[in-house]
Amino acid sequence: MTKVVLIRHGRSTANAAGVLAGRAPGVRLDDIGRAQAEALRQTLRGVPVAGAYTSPIERCVETATLAGFPEAEVLDGISECDYGEWTGAKLDDLSSREVWADVQARPSVVAFPGGESMQAMFRRTTEAVAQLAARHGKGEVVVVFSHGDPIKAILAHAFGMGLDDFQRLHVHPAGL
């Protein structure tokens, strides 16, 4: 079985500002995020990585590069959820909306206005990782640089959890 190491991007300027960045262009790592990404290089030193893959979003590409994987292949399937009209909004403002309770407790029924449903993100990301793992041999290690919600979806699937339970998982910036 291929070993897939899921890595969330380092802390971004949007994380620090409490903003839902989604797929917004121009969101980069802040100083803390760059230090986190550089620390990943040490953590992964000596690991025989057979392949590196990254979301196309800048903060993931930047994390992969600083972690020592500038050649990481870009995979759209592991990109961030498309939050549509919510992209760029402050999390404090979003948390006061009635639908926020569903985002937290029943994400399987949530579709973001002008964006993607959580179900679609769950299918997209889990299928992408399954296809990626099938490309590699038994025992090979691959690293995948992605985002919080996609990583939680992939982990929930691997743990046999339903999408409605995935918010119970926590993935910190630069977390493996």
Side-chain angles (χ1 to χ4, degrees), residues 38-101:
E38 289 170 355
L40 288 169
R41 183 187 301 254
Q42 276 301 111
T43 300
L44 296 169
R45 179 175 287 177
V47 176
V49 175
Y53 303 89
T54 184
S55 156
I57 308 291
E58 292 162 282
R59 57 195 180 270
C60 280
V61 173
E62 187 177 9
T63 300
T65 299
L66 292 171
F69 300 95
E71 77 293 348
E73 181 181 334
V74 172
L75 287 180
D76 290 333
I78 57 173
S79 187
E80 178 65 286
C81 185
D82 182 354
Y83 298 114
E85 295 171 17
W86 285 30
T87 300
K90 291 283 243 179
L91 291 170
D92 285 344
D93 295 338
L94 294 173
S95 68
S96 66
R97 295 187 184 183
E98 190 172 312
V99 71
W100 187 259

